Amino acid sequence: MDLNTLWFVLIAILYIGFFILEGFDYGVGILLPFLGKDDQQRRQIINTIGPFWDGNEVWLITAGGATFAAFPHWYATLFSGFYLALLLILLALILRGVAFEFRSKDENPLWRSLWDWAIFIGSAIPALLFGVAFGNLVRGVPIDANMQYVGTFFDLLNPYALVAGLASLITFTLHGAIFLSLRTDDEVLTAARSAARRLWLPTVIVLATLWVYTYFATDILERLGINPGVIPLIGMIAMLGTGYMLRRGWDGWAFVGTAISIAAAVITMFIILYPRVMISSLNPEWSLTIYNASSSPYTLRLMAIIAVIFVPIVLGYQAWTYWVFRHRVTREQRLEY
Amino acid sequence: MEAVTLARWQFAITTVYHFFFVPLTLGLSVLVALMETIYVRSGNELYKQMAKFWGKLFLINFVMGVVTGIVQEFQFGMNWSEYSRFVGDIFGVPLAIEALLAFFLESTFLGIWTFGWDRLSKGLHALTIWLVALGSNLSALWILIANSFMQQPVGFIIRDGRAEMTDFSAVVLNPNIWVQFPHTVLAGFTTAAFFVLGISAYHLLRERHVDFFRRSFQMASIFGAFSIVMLIFNGHSQAQHIVKIQPMKMAAAEALWESEDPASFSILTIGDLAQRRDVFAIRIPRLLSLLAYNQLSGEVKGIYDLQAEYEQLYGPGDYIPPVAITYWSFRLMVGAGFAMLALALYALFLTMGEAINSQNRLLRAFLWAIPLPYIANTFGWLMTEIGRAPWVVYGVMRIEDAVSPTVSTGMVLASLILFTLIYGLLMFADIYLLVRFAKAGPEGETAETGPLVAKPARV
């Protein structure tokens, strides 16, 4: 594997980590207004992700930084091209992050409800728009010979990308519902389990639609043929298995199921892309690839050494966080924040 | 207005706003870590209360730093895509390392610290806040390594129309780092010290939680006096460094139009911006030479000579940064710095003399001094960044060449308005909460006088 491919894989791993981890806390945020019947339940729900959301968000920041360092043209074309979409995501993340910290610091019901809705919107918008963005990446967008995005914001809102957005939105919501089933007790637990069961079938339908649609909207057929390959199949099986686990009440395994489907979906998108990072819909020659968009070999090698040393350390202490907070957030305990 | 102007406004607004929160994070994390360490070593519950109370204010501030920091990372790609293409090979590296080494550390362990009071042993819990403090300060180091490349580009060559890194160690050990990193961190420590001094003084004057706030005041006075003294020495070295690497910035900061040897220091200059000359000036002879070279003579180059020199070097163009902004930013920063030096030494004197008591009306000054470090921090950055104009990377890339060519004026305007609006609203919410929790004081048991405060009182 050359260094460019290695960095393509590392960035894929960062997005897998981001979507699996932040995916459930987006889901929890989306479900907050619906599952939390009173203030104490909402606080219980927020506390399930309280210790994690900030660390999870760093996966995105790291993916952004890694893209900047390894593929500067990808970083530049993507973020200047998807300007308004990224702006909406950033504003959503601002409101959301602040809301977690601010909501409980005043007992005024209006204040609390304001920030609870900020958490909902701040979770739903990125959950939707990340799917839209990735849908556009694999479908292709108007990029000219100078690597500049020449489309508009509304070009990004094509039907395929919207289906991809709906898929990420609903998958993260299901993932979050299962996470809540693992981390709560009493009424919230019951509500979360029931939400997970009800969300499962629609999720399967949306994902299947996206799967089929991908054959029509992207060049996957001519590049890879009719055989979807083993990764998307694993993803589909994992999602089907999730339904079974949910029915049996095996929440832990159901969570593994949604995590695998998310990972499989991200890997599939990166396989469709490879070796391109942004596909030009105007001329295939104008696509950004891991070669024409990359940094110098010196930078790639340097960054690879740093990543190999530090990624395992980060994984280690993040895993430890989940171990420290493995207990359920119960109504009886004194709830922080 | 052109997109580049709006993009500059957006960068200035979002960066200055972000930097309202960063310095306090840098310093307060260390202070809280010190408090918790004293608690672990002495077993004195008062210090645990202190760590919790100041920790709560820390959290309210920290989250604002986090959410505004995300904008900073993506803004380079959004508004400055040509810059990103040109320097991504170098500039992206410290940003990526910052996320990997520093952000993960501070965010992950802050989550554990906040929620882990009952889950971890005392020592381990104290370790988590030290890791947060380490993460915050490491993050400042890497972002300043990135910024130092813009101030003093090193370790690269230009190939195929973009800058490529040739020497990572040169980028990391950029001479500019040695003056800029201590300056920023010490400014952060000073900010935290004045934050704690001000709030403590407020409560001491009202004779509430006297022991609690006296100890907080003591800790902050030692921490603050140390930091501001070091900061001023370091600021002097930094000024000397700037005379060497960016003489135009120093000339603008001094409104020194003609080269002088020995050079005089400006006490007050009122200039005519259109004519680019002084209307009125009071200057102290030889002082600028003394500051620049530690001796009474030595040439400090003036703006006109530098302009002529740069035209020779880089071709025709305007190489003069906005002189009035640079000049006044420098003065406001240094002025606030010396005011803080006096106050911090006075705080130390009160601490040493056991003289902190509610009868001392002068304590009120510390409450009013809370904005001082914010003024110094803000204008310090304005001088640093605006004084670099017209360069985005000094001597290598101009600001107007760095902007995104495909992002329309309308889009930048829309984002500028939205950021300003949301940042403005959040500022109100943030200050409201900080004031409310700061006024409420520590919860419950430590109150010696006045009513027990079980939960935050209404403002």
Side-chain angles (χ1 to χ4, degrees), chain A residues 320 324, chain B residues 112-113 116-126 128:
Chain A
W320 183 64
V324 170
Chain B
I112 302 177
W113 185 79
W117 284 98
D118 309 323
R119 295 235 176 273
L120 301 179
S121 72
K122 280 186 194 174
L124 202 53
H125 192 265
T128 60

Side-chain angles (χ1 to χ4, degrees), chain A residues 220-261:
Chain A
I220 187 175
L221 201 58
E222 49 200 88
R223 283 164 54 88
L224 304 173
I226 191 76
N227 176 5
V230 65
I231 303 285
L233 281 178
I234 289 176
M236 216 51 191
I237 292 166
M239 189 46 83
L240 293 174
T242 299
Y244 177 75
M245 308 299 173
L246 284 174
R247 237 164 295 279
R248 300 296 299 261
W250 297 342
D251 298 328
W253 288 109
F255 188 73
V256 173
T258 43
I260 291 175
S261 349

Side-chain angles (χ1 to χ4, degrees), chain B residues 40-99:
Chain B
V40 172
R41 298 194 66 104
S42 71
N44 186 342
E45 285 285 329
L46 188 64
Y47 283 94
K48 182 181 182 183
Q49 291 291 327
M50 278 162 65
K52 281 200 161 184
F53 170 75
W54 297 108
K56 190 164 270 177
L57 297 174
F58 172 77
L59 284 170
I60 296 171
N61 169 75
F62 179 85
V63 74
M64 293 287 284
V66 168
V67 296
T68 53
I70 308 173
V71 176
Q72 294 308 101
E73 198 201 2
F74 290 101
Q75 194 167 195
F76 295 109
M78 291 168 77
N79 284 340
W80 305 98
S81 67
E82 292 310 292
Y83 170 76
S84 306
R85 291 179 204 282
F86 184 73
V87 297
D89 201 85
I90 305 151
F91 190 81
V93 172
L95 291 196
I97 297 178
E98 182 196 24

